[in-house]
Amino acid sequence: MTTDITEAVGAMNIKTNGSADKDQLTNNGEGTEESKLRARLGKPKNQETSPYDWGTPGELTEAEVDCFIKFREQVEGRGGEFRATVYSFGEEEGELYALCRWLRARKFVYEDVIKMVEEATECRKAARIKGFYPEPVDALGCDSSLFHTQYPQLYTGNAKNGAVLFISKPGVLNVDGMECITNLDGILKYHWHAMIHDFGSRLRAKKAQDPNFKRFECFCVLDLEHLTTSQLSSRALSIVKEQSFIDSLCFPETMSKMIIVNAPRFFAASWQLIKGWLDARTANKVEVISSKSVSEAKLLELVDADVLPSDYGGKFTDSKVILESHIPKGMTRQNSQLFYVRSNVTHVVDVKANEKMEVIIFTNSTSGGKLSITDAKQGTVIVGGVGIK
């Protein structure tokens, strides 16, 4: 699963020019600014509010409006890093919806909201200094396409409510492979990149396409196919826990819906553990579905068929094909293999006519090794005994 990098030290400037958001309030002489603000935020008397819309503009109680105004004064008064943290996805989100996200996260308890923003500002400080890692390789130490062979994840299109569609496949998460190419610190740095530069840019693109798009949120499909109990190690869970912590603190109230599909029976106990890391409102947005037919029907209720990948019941390109297409420029295909080597291992790659092969090895071996490349047909050694450390 943030972008107002309008702060002076930031490496980016995502603040828009020339198109003021309609949610940004100005005083044009027609009544006071505060009275107009209260009218836009407050809900009519006796109007019922759905759980999904609670705490959003136009649905606030008088007390919640008072809290909003007080928080707004702090955001504009402090400015700088405090304000940049609140507008984490850029000014495009608009004042009303950006501030309400933070207020909802702490149930409109003013002191708790201020504390949260201060903690989030500190949490994102180191990543902000690095510009939130605009280049994935600077975060991971390898190309993101290689990382996704070990932990397949992708953003693709939007759900019917406009939320960015995100598909994650922890069922095929390979912790051993990830630990060869990066570490937990690199994974968390990449998470900052994904939230700021990938997710954030998609939100702004949707807003530019549809000015009525207000709620900067994500629709997540969590695919647990092939998940085994052995994969739920402390190492794997620590990745989920740390990412969840960043999202809950620094990108609050950005989950529109999560559908967990292909869930094995044993997952129920693990879900109770993971659920404890999420706030209650977020946890209530999650549905766990084991049946493939039921999950496909549910997804098609919420995502258009021409947007939903075919392996989830839609008509769009299969998610595995999409991931395979996300390779570095100039590369035609990528073959990633994980080996557990005790003495030696052999792997055959079919190199077609006019193709060139580049071999990159990542290892967490303490003793090192040697690599040889042989032409299997000719029996000739192309590369012999290159040392690996």
Side-chain angles (χ1 to χ4, degrees):
M1 86 240 262
T2 343
T3 32
D4 180 275
I5 320 309
T6 55
E7 56 257 45
V9 189
M12 308 175 292
N13 182 2
I14 310 178
K15 189 173 182 179
T16 55
N17 296 312
S19 58
D21 192 284
K22 294 179 182 179
D23 290 331
Q24 206 73 29
L25 295 171
T26 57
N27 190 350
N28 60 9
E30 298 177 4
T32 65
E33 181 180 8
E34 183 173 324
S35 65
K36 290 188 292 183
L37 177 60
R38 287 182 176 277
R40 296 183 66 184
L41 289 170
K43 66 176 180 179
K45 292 182 179 180
N46 302 320
Q47 174 179 296
E48 294 292 329
T49 299
S50 71
Y52 177 69
D53 290 328
W54 174 82
T56 59
E59 300 289 344
L60 306 189
T61 64
E62 186 175 346
E64 290 166 350
V65 172
D66 290 341
C67 186
F68 179 101
I69 291 173
K70 190 175 181 181
F71 181 44
R72 180 183 183 234
E73 290 172 352
Q74 277 292 307
V75 172
E76 297 306 322
R78 293 197 189 192
E81 298 302 323
F82 188 91
R83 186 178 190 279
T85 298
V86 172
Y87 285 95
S88 51
F89 294 119
E91 301 283 345
E92 293 89 337
E93 184 176 9
E95 180 179 71
L96 303 190
Y97 282 84
L99 270 61
C100 277
R101 274 199 304 107
W102 291 86
L103 290 163
R104 287 199 305 276
R106 290 298 179 265
K107 297 179 173 58
F108 287 81
V109 178
Y110 174 77
E111 293 77 12
D112 292 350
V113 177
I114 295 299
K115 181 181 178 181
M116 181 185 189
V117 178
E118 291 173 344
E119 291 175 349
T121 301
E122 182 62 28
C123 178
R124 69 186 227 138
K125 183 178 179 180
R128 181 195 57 76
I129 291 173
K130 296 295 185 179
F132 299 102
Y133 307 97
E135 296 298 330
V137 67
D138 295 332
L140 292 167
C142 66
D143 191 85
S144 59
S145 63
L146 180 59
F147 174 78
H148 288 146
T149 63
Q150 307 305 309
Y151 191 1
Q153 297 178 315
L154 69 153
Y155 289 105
T156 174
N158 300 81
K160 290 181 180 180
N161 66 355
V164 176
L165 178 60
F166 175 68
I167 299 173
S168 179
K169 305 182 183 228
V172 289
L173 164 65
N174 191 323
V175 177
D176 290 340
M178 286 201 300
E179 289 184 342
C180 283
I181 61 178
T182 188
N183 53 31
L184 179 58
D185 182 60
I187 293 169
L188 295 181
K189 288 177 179 178
Y190 180 67
H191 190 63
W192 285 109
H193 162 86
M195 294 299 292
I196 296 291
H197 298 282
D198 198 349
F199 180 51
S201 65
R202 291 171 187 272
L203 291 169
R204 292 188 297 276
K206 179 62 178 177
K207 180 77 174 195
Q209 177 190 32
D210 178 11
N212 293 319
F213 174 60
K214 304 292 186 182
R215 299 181 66 160
F216 278 30
E217 297 175 345
C218 180
F219 183 103
C220 181
V221 177
L222 199 65
D223 187 352
L224 301 187
E225 187 174 17
H226 304 304
L227 183 70
T228 63
T229 54
S230 62
Q231 288 173 291
L232 297 176
S233 63
S234 59
R235 294 181 299 163
L237 291 175
S238 67
I239 295 171
V240 177
K241 184 177 181 179
E242 292 295 333
Q243 290 179 332
S244 297
F245 172 78
I246 291 174
D247 290 346
S248 296
L249 179 62
C250 300
F251 309 100
E253 293 291 318
T254 51
M255 182 190 291
S256 171
K257 187 72 176 176
M258 176 184 284
I259 306 293
I260 300 179
V261 303
N262 299 317
R265 292 182 179 180
F266 71 82
F267 177 72
S270 300
W271 166 238
Q272 292 305 313
L273 174 63
I274 297 171
K275 192 175 181 179
W277 300 334
L278 307 174
D279 64 86
R281 290 193 68 253
T282 298
N284 289 334
K285 297 176 183 178
V286 179
E287 291 187 44
V288 180
I289 304 174
S290 297
S291 167
K292 186 174 181 63
S293 60
V294 174
S295 66
E296 289 180 350
K298 184 64 178 181
L299 288 171
L300 286 170
E301 287 180 18
L302 303 169
V303 183
D304 287 329
D306 59 353
V307 173
L308 186 66
S310 59
D311 47 331
Y312 294 99
K315 299 179 181 179
F316 195 61
T317 308
D318 185 292
S319 65
K320 294 183 286 295
V321 175
I322 297 173
L323 283 166
E324 289 171 358
S325 69
H326 294 172
I327 56 179
K329 186 177 181 180
M331 184 182 293
T332 57
R333 58 193 176 104
Q334 182 172 259
N335 184 331
S336 174
Q337 298 291 329
L338 176 66
F339 300 109
Y340 298 91
V341 182
R342 291 186 177 181
S343 57
N344 63 78
V345 65
T346 299
H347 178 64
V348 179
V349 178
D350 181 22
V351 181
K352 299 176 182 178
N354 300 319
E355 280 190 331
K356 294 181 179 180
M357 184 176 71
E358 180 182 41
V359 179
I360 302 175
I361 297 175
F362 295 86
T363 180
N364 57 8
S365 169
T366 57
S367 58
K370 291 184 178 182
L371 168 71
S372 296
I373 300 177
T374 303
D375 186 327
K377 291 183 177 180
Q378 301 296 327
T380 56
V381 176
I382 300 172
V383 176
V386 176
I388 301 170
K389 295 183 180 180

